Amino acid sequence: QLQLQESGPGLVKPSETLSLTCTVSGGSISSSSYYWGWIRQPPGKGLEWIGSISYSGSTYYNPSLKSRVTISVDTSKNQFSLKVSSVTAADTAVYYCARLSKYSDYDWIYAFDIWGHGTMVTVSS
Amino acid sequence: SSELTQDPAVSVALGQTVRITCQGDSLRIYYASWYQLKPGQAPVLVIYGTNNRPSGIPDRFSGSSSGNTASLTITGAQAEDEADYYCNSRDSSGNHLNVVFGGGTKLTVL
């Protein structure tokens, strides 16, 4: 059974870079049927898509975050990672990694079908 | 601001039927998916492609769509269905895999 696990520092100082890794276990990250994504939820607020990546490294970013976000993949470690630069308190959130499954490319049917439990990241000095 | 709009809160009596809606122009073209979030738990996909249930999701969950509105219906709501529900679909940016979430609906089962 495929599982995803987020890891990284729970506290980041303002203006520094937030770095998280998602480790995929129970299956391979290298499949053309899946993409891998990051989603976050600030306290008391809704879900916000950050970006997604294919196993080959093609990336898609939320336009509102694109200038500060980098998502990368390491197929040898079955991991993908998130970096958010120049963080502020507004970046405080629970960060989730998730698998984006392609059910139909022609009809555009995609959905995040497997999620990690999330990791809380607080931006504070 | 979100391109998908949901009512912030909805309530339903135990055993009754409730519909949670999601509005947005992109829903006229693209399919919606729905997610259930409970505190301290990993989010769960309950509907994809507007009206498909993943394996393991009870059949009391169903989805539909009309015009610019996608709906999640729970027929015979159970206490364990109390959660936050989010819709999700492709956004209007034109990039193939850019997506957007609705603002979420808190479901209370009375």
Side-chain angles (χ1 to χ4, degrees):
Chain A
Q1 181 178 353
L2 193 85
Q3 293 184 319
L4 284 72
Q5 178 68 57
E6 306 89 351
S7 60
L11 181 64
V12 182
K13 289 183 168 56
S15 80
E16 295 189 346
T17 296
L18 177 162
S19 296
L20 295 175
T21 295
C22 182
T23 300
V24 179
S25 59
S28 174
I29 202 172
S30 300
S31 169
S32 60
S33 295
Y34 308 118
Y35 292 78
W36 307 90
W38 289 96
I39 300 102
R40 70 181 183 181
Q41 184 176 29
K45 297 187 178 182
L47 296 176
E48 179 180 37
W49 173 71
I50 300 171
S52 300
I53 191 168
S54 70
Y55 78 95
S56 61
S58 297
T59 52
Y60 303 84
Y61 296 128
N62 184 325
S64 69
L65 299 169
K66 186 175 183 177
S67 64
R68 298 193 295 125
V69 169
T70 302
I71 297 176
S72 58
V73 63
D74 187 335
T75 55
S76 67
K77 295 182 179 179
N78 232 31
Q79 295 176 334
F80 61 106
S81 298
L82 169 71
K83 292 187 186 297
V84 182
S85 63
S86 305
V87 297
T88 69
D91 294 308
T92 294
V94 175
Y95 285 76
Y96 296 99
C97 61
R99 185 179 79 173
L100 179 64
S101 280
K102 178 174 63 176
Y103 295 94
S104 169
D105 193 52
Y106 179 80
D107 292 324
W108 201 94
I109 302 178
Y110 288 80
F112 294 102
D113 63 337
I114 301 176
W115 295 62
H117 278 79
T119 186
M120 181 69 200
V121 178
T122 301
V123 177
S124 175
S125 56
Chain B
S1 62
S2 175
E3 298 177 28
L4 298 178
T5 301
Q6 298 182 238
D7 292 328
V10 171
S11 62
V12 62
L14 184 67
Q16 296 303 301
T17 296
V18 62
R19 186 168 69 179
I20 299 170
T21 61
C22 174
Q23 290 187 303
D25 287 341
S26 65
L27 297 178
R28 295 183 184 277
I29 307 171
Y30 302 117
Y31 293 91
S33 55
W34 290 91
Y35 303 86
Q36 178 190 70
L37 270 71
K38 296 181 180 179
Q41 297 185 21
V44 174
L45 173 68
V46 295
I47 294 288
Y48 67 92
T50 295
N51 60 3
N52 298 284
R53 275 179 293 106
S55 173
I57 300 302
D59 60 6
R60 63 179 180 271
F61 289 89
S62 63
S64 60
S65 184
S66 177
N68 73 335
T69 301
S71 300
L72 171 69
T73 300
I74 307 174
T75 304
Q78 302 299 303
E80 60 265 32
D81 299 333
E82 185 163 291
D84 294 332
Y85 291 87
Y86 289 84
C87 61
N88 164 247
S89 187
R90 181 174 171 176
D91 78 1
S92 55
S93 71
N95 290 323
H96 185 62
L97 286 184
N98 280 27
V99 300
V100 64
F101 286 91
T105 298
K106 182 176 181 60
L107 175 66
T108 300
V109 180
L110 304 172

